Amino acid sequence: MTTDTEFTIPGDIAAKLVNPKVYATDELHETYAWLRTNQPLGIAEVEGFDPFWVVSKYDDVLEVSKDNKRFPYGNRPSTLMDKASVAMSMQMAETPIALSLIQMDPPEHMKYRLLSQSWFMPANLKKREEEIRVIARKAAQNLVATGGNCDFVADVSLNYPLEVIMNILGVPEEDFPFMLKLTQEIFGPLDPDVKAMMADMSADDISAIQQAVVGEMVGYFQTITERRRENPTDDLASVLVNAEVDGKPISDNALNGYYLIVATAGHDTTSSTASTGMWALATQPGLLERLQADMSLLPAFIEECIRWTSPVKNFMRSAAEDTEIRGRTIKKGDWLMLCYASASRDEDVVANPQNFDIDRAPNKHMAFGYGPHLCLGQHLAKMELRILFEELLPKIASVKLAGEPQLLESFFVNGLKKLPITFELAD
Ligand code: HEM
């Protein structure tokens, strides 16, 4: 990438974008707002990282996302990594144990996506509504059982989406704690609480641990594969293990990649969004009563929780050719960071974007991405969040914060990691 000083982001601002601590504070949204106003498509040059374009405006994220040929993943990682991790990830990509949709480019990507796309559509998901409601009732019982004082993340929102995902992947209930541990180990190491025990380890060692965890998860899913090949049901695992591409059963790599992306992408994202929902009920005057009086407002409430959280902070793309956006020349091979959480608060498409407001109509945001890679699980996420709040709302008469909420320190997927609340039970 050639540096063009006109479009270079000041070093102190660029450094924030790779600092996980910033993602746990309001500074993140201040930084995004600064970028949208002053350098909406600029180059970040930070020591230890390859330079990358920072795409912060809604329209630009949309333009890059919808053109998978001009902006594929190419041979670079799909998430932001420092140079050492990029080198390691490219080395591992030569003999991958899992190849997931989020790293695929055309034409393979669409062939693999279509295997499960109709399973994730509302008409099919409707069939699982009752099973998901059983899991949501359990989550609501867990809240009630705390007696009025709890950490909503630990006691409710962390487990609920995981249980839904495990249900659709055919994992039996006794293995849920094991899977929770694995998904946290894959996603969590950037957060100090999670990596306390890894304090003295190098990036290579941490990455090696993550690989081992991925290997452990893949090993576990082999059992599920065998069970579903023998006795298919109507769950997602049964669709995947019996799927074919170009007339042949899909490879173990592709199957593992599917299991992994569904197990990980469907968990922290939805959990963070559910926590935002409870945070909003605890902090926005009159919101709880308004929703209780009119549950038809729940979809609008959930959409705003999704916009507000935009839990996936970014994915990366590469340019396949020299091209131009917003008057900047992007060179073939340049790396671009799509800042979904910034696009979801772009003042050009969202009025008063820093306000939590369930009355936005339409509620335009970029939390699920756009184009060929648009989140496959978006209808499932919205459905499970709606069902969760349908079960929770009748149980509580009032709710307040009981301490300072804390966000996860991660520059990839983040949201609340602690939400202390006190609440009164409804009669
Ligand atoms: C609020 C919850 C969620 C949010 C905000 C979210 C966000 C995202 C984003 C930003 C992407 C990348 C889109 C792009 O590159 O344009 C994505 C992809 C994906 N998501 Fe989600 N997600 C959520 C829940 C889920 C759930 C519940 C599942 C499945 C159980 C899921 C499965 C996937 C998969 C499979 C992909 C890759 C699609 C592809 O590459 O074709 N997500 N998601």
Side-chain angles (χ1 to χ4, degrees), residues 84-226:
S85 308
V86 169
M88 179 173 285
S89 130
M90 284 161 100
Q91 198 186 336
M92 286 183 316
E94 287 167 19
T95 49
I97 52 171
L99 187 60
S100 86
L101 283 184
I102 208 73
Q103 298 154 294
M104 289 183 187
D105 285 322
E108 279 71 28
H109 169 253
M110 212 26 93
K111 291 185 193 170
Y112 283 90
R113 185 174 164 112
L114 287 175
L115 298 177
S116 66
Q117 193 158 273
S118 60
W119 193 93
F120 278 106
M121 285 297 147
N124 183 60
L125 291 175
K126 226 175 157 18
K127 295 185 212 152
R128 303 201 82 82
E129 174 134 4
E130 268 321 299
E131 280 182 45
I132 294 179
R133 194 170 294 283
V134 170
I135 303 174
R137 278 197 195 117
K138 213 173 88 185
Q141 282 310 326
N142 289 345
L143 180 81
V144 171
T146 66
N149 218 314
C150 75
D151 172 7
F152 185 75
V153 178
D155 293 316
V156 180
S157 72
L158 195 58
N159 280 313
Y160 170 66
L162 184 77
E163 296 199 7
V164 173
I165 296 298
M166 295 304 129
N167 173 279
I168 68 174
L169 287 179
V171 175
E173 204 168 333
E174 62 270 21
D175 294 338
F176 288 175
F178 169 71
M179 294 307 284
L180 175 64
K181 185 174 143 282
L182 293 187
T183 52
Q184 282 180 324
E185 283 171 7
I186 291 175
F187 263 145
L190 290 171
D191 188 77
D193 283 359
V194 185
K195 77 169 183 191
M197 61 180 197
M198 300 178 172
D200 296 326
M201 292 184 187
S202 67
D204 282 8
D205 287 345
I206 292 175
S207 182
I209 290 179
Q210 277 177 279
Q211 280 308 303
V213 176
V214 167
E216 209 175 333
M217 202 183 251
V218 161
Y220 176 84
F221 276 119
Q222 250 149 23
T223 323
I224 304 281
T225 299
E226 282 155 28

Side-chain angles (χ1 to χ4, degrees), residues 65 73 100-104 109-110 113 116 120 165 168 236 258 261-263 265-267 269-271 273 306 310-312 315 317 338 340 366-378 380-382 384-385:
S65 301
Y73 287 108
S100 86
L101 283 184
I102 208 73
Q103 298 154 294
M104 289 183 187
H109 169 253
M110 212 26 93
R113 185 174 164 112
S116 66
F120 278 106
I165 296 298
I168 68 174
L236 180 63
Y258 241 118
I261 183 98
V262 171
H267 181 207
T269 48
T270 317
S271 156
T273 309
I306 293 168
S310 276
V312 179
F315 267 115
R317 299 284 199 276
L338 303 183
Y340 303 115
M366 209 28 98
F368 290 121
Y370 197 84
H373 286 281
L374 171 72
C375 177
L376 197 51
Q378 63 160 324
L380 176 61
K382 288 182 200 180
E384 59 180 287
L385 287 164

Side-chain angles (χ1 to χ4, degrees), residues 331-347:
K331 293 271 188 204
K332 181 176 175 178
D334 281 1
W335 213 20
L336 298 96
M337 177 194 247
L338 303 183
C339 298
Y340 303 115
S342 174
S344 294
R345 294 191 187 198
D346 182 345
E347 6 334 74

Side-chain angles (χ1 to χ4, degrees), residues 208-385:
I209 290 179
Q210 277 177 279
Q211 280 308 303
V213 176
V214 167
E216 209 175 333
M217 202 183 251
V218 161
Y220 176 84
F221 276 119
Q222 250 149 23
T223 323
I224 304 281
T225 299
E226 282 155 28
R227 279 190 210 145
R228 287 299 184 266
R229 280 203 176 125
E230 271 167 35
N231 292 311
T233 66
D234 64 352
D235 64 14
L236 180 63
S238 304
V239 172
L240 298 177
V241 301
N242 297 305
E244 294 189 348
V245 164
D246 295 335
K248 290 189 217 124
I250 60 171
S251 67
D252 284 352
N253 278 353
L255 184 55
N256 292 339
Y258 241 118
Y259 281 134
L260 277 172
I261 183 98
V262 171
T264 52
H267 181 207
D268 291 28
T269 48
T270 317
S271 156
S272 300
T273 309
S275 302
T276 296
M278 187 49 79
W279 164 85
L281 295 175
T283 57
Q284 309 286 302
L287 182 59
L288 174 65
E289 296 73 18
R290 198 175 158 206
L291 293 175
Q292 283 172 330
D294 182 0
M295 296 282 249
S296 74
L297 294 172
L298 272 182
F301 166 67
I302 282 154
E303 205 66 51
E304 180 64 352
C305 292
I306 293 168
R307 181 193 74 85
W308 182 261
T309 317
S310 276
V312 179
K313 293 297 173 288
N314 48 70
F315 267 115
M316 306 297 288
R317 299 284 199 276
S318 312
E321 57 193 62
D322 289 0
T323 185
E324 194 167 301
I325 308 180
R326 203 174 275 277
R328 279 79 159 150
T329 304
I330 314 275
K331 293 271 188 204
K332 181 176 175 178
D334 281 1
W335 213 20
L336 298 96
M337 177 194 247
L338 303 183
C339 298
Y340 303 115
S342 174
S344 294
R345 294 191 187 198
D346 182 345
E347 6 334 74
D348 284 351
V349 289
V350 185
N352 302 316
Q354 313 294 355
N355 292 353
F356 184 95
D357 176 6
I358 73 164
D359 294 316
R360 301 177 185 284
N363 190 343
K364 270 176 111 175
H365 63 74
M366 209 28 98
F368 290 121
Y370 197 84
H373 286 281
L374 171 72
C375 177
L376 197 51
Q378 63 160 324
H379 301 297
L380 176 61
K382 288 182 200 180
M383 177 171 133
E384 59 180 287
L385 287 164

